[in-house]
Amino acid sequence: NEIRVFCPATIANISCGFDVLGVALDSVGDEMVVRKIPEKGIRITKLEGQDLPKETERNVAGVAGLTLLEASGYDGGFEIEIYKKIKAGSGIGSSAASSSGAVWAMNELLGRPFSKIDLVRFAMEGERLASAVAHADNVAPALYGGFTLVRSYDPLDVVSIPNPPELYATVIHPQIEVKTSDSRSVLRTKITLAQGIKQWGNVGGLIAGLFTNDYDLIGRSLEDHIVEPIRSILIPGFDNVKSEALNAGALGCGISGSGPSIFAFCKGETIAKKVSESMKEVYQDIGIDHDVHVSKIN
Ligand code: HSE
């Protein structure tokens, strides 16, 4: 009647894959305890680690959970304890971790009446609350693991993508606040055909590289000519961090989600650690507090 779950952080978008490509990080995440209760509804009884609302309707785990509860026909409810390790607004899927952790745990406690794609749909309601747009690029990898592609939103179609065995992600979080809603509102809503051609060439290249373990192709495809040039203006030091990461041997580097975190993909742990050091030095030099993680992609 009770389950404890790990709720992974996620990098999404991944450069060229705005709102469609994401990956789960196995070594960074929250924990959550969910238990069945006879009373109807959802109660968040503990929320540690971040200053976030505990009221069900104002909490992403609460809202995602209510959507599942309504669809399930179960006449009891759930109690949730949330232990946040992912900082809200850091760009590594804090809200997605809570939304997807809640619905995954509830589905287990109810005997798995729902498929993974159903769980993505429920968790997206948490994302709608957090960023006003029900994007699925964070919740899909949080629920499926590894890399996922949201091939289509309507109808919702999520595809799991394999990853090469030696792929590592380095993520640095400069401690400045960039709200997803702000970093979405600066984006243009129209692109040119020439921009589209570059972007979908890179998305295809990235997917092909992940399927064939072609690290160089992955690196060449980690480009974004549409979103990154606009959003990077909101992240101090971005250009330097990127060039230092590439100089230190990263395959590619970009904004994690809506920022301010910056990620780099690397081949092997040794290079990933070297890259993390070079990224750190940029923020040490400009005097911005930061934390950095190196994760193997599984
Ligand atoms: N795909 C979303 C964005 C992720 O980039 O706005 C936000 O976490």
Side-chain angles (χ1 to χ4, degrees):
N1 271 351
E2 178 179 302
I3 190 167
R4 178 178 281 268
V5 291
F6 172 74
C7 320
T10 43
I11 300 172
N13 336 295
I14 298 169
S15 298
C16 47
F18 180 70
D19 274 2
V20 299
L21 270 177
V23 66
L25 300 175
D26 281 8
S27 57
V28 191
D30 300 338
E31 279 188 18
M32 190 178 265
V33 175
V34 181
R35 71 182 65 86
K36 262 173 150 175
I37 52 170
E39 301 83 49
K40 250 194 162 351
I42 289 174
R43 289 206 311 252
I44 296 161
T45 52
K46 250 190 210 173
L47 204 167
E48 289 181 3
Q50 290 288 291
D51 187 16
L52 292 165
K54 266 170 80 180
E55 299 88 337
T56 306
E57 305 276 358
R58 293 181 58 218
N59 181 288
V60 296
V63 167
L66 283 174
T67 318
L68 177 145
L69 192 58
E70 198 172 313
S72 72
Y74 169 54
D75 59 6
F78 296 96
E79 237 171 45
I80 309 179
E81 295 171 13
I82 305 173
Y83 303 94
K84 295 289 300 173
K85 300 218 175 86
I86 310 172
K87 293 197 180 97
S90 58
I92 51 168
S94 174
S95 53
S98 297
S99 307
S100 48
V103 298
W104 192 86
M106 289 172 192
N107 192 44
E108 292 296 304
L109 291 171
L110 293 176
R112 299 194 190 164
F114 297 112
S115 65
K116 277 191 194 161
I117 196 84
D118 293 330
L119 299 183
V120 170
R121 219 172 265 120
F122 301 140
M124 282 168 73
E125 292 309 311
E127 295 293 70
R128 192 192 303 281
L129 175 70
S131 67
V133 179
H135 58 87
D137 50 337
N138 293 98
V139 292
L143 287 158
Y144 283 66
F147 280 91
T148 55
L149 168 74
V150 183
R151 206 247 351 134
S152 156
Y153 275 84
D154 188 15
L156 188 63
D157 188 0
V158 172
V159 185
S160 267
I161 311 289
N163 60 271
E166 291 179 82
L167 194 65
Y168 281 76
T170 298
V171 181
I172 189 155
H173 174 218
Q175 323 259 296
I176 48 160
E177 201 188 341
V178 175
K179 288 198 181 124
T180 298
S181 46
D182 292 342
S183 61
R184 290 189 81 94
S185 67
V186 294
L187 300 178
R188 301 201 183 97
T189 52
K190 293 203 169 86
I191 61 166
T192 64
L193 184 58
Q195 285 175 306
I197 291 167
K198 275 190 178 175
Q199 202 83 348
W200 52 67
N202 281 320
V203 174
L206 181 50
I207 301 286
L210 292 169
F211 266 95
T212 58
N213 299 345
D214 186 336
Y215 294 92
D216 289 337
L217 177 57
I218 292 169
R220 295 202 298 285
S221 309
L222 283 170
E223 286 192 29
D224 169 12
H225 298 285
I226 297 175
V227 175
E228 184 179 296
I230 300 174
R231 279 188 170 170
S232 57
I233 295 163
L234 304 173
I235 306 173
F238 177 80
D239 291 341
N240 282 347
V241 171
K242 183 166 176 163
S243 63
E244 291 303 320
L246 295 175
N247 286 340
L251 301 168
C253 177
I255 302 171
S256 178
S258 57
S261 287
I262 302 169
F263 79 94
F265 282 160
C266 304
K267 182 180 179 187
E269 192 175 16
T270 311
I271 296 179
K273 286 192 172 149
K274 194 170 155 214
V275 166
S276 74
E277 289 305 317
S278 67
M279 292 167 113
K280 266 162 83 166
E281 273 170 28
V282 175
Y283 284 119
Q284 271 157 8
D285 287 350
I286 55 178
I288 293 180
D289 287 343
H290 52 276
D291 47 47
V292 68
H293 299 282
V294 173
S295 302
K296 186 172 186 311
I297 306 291
N298 290 310

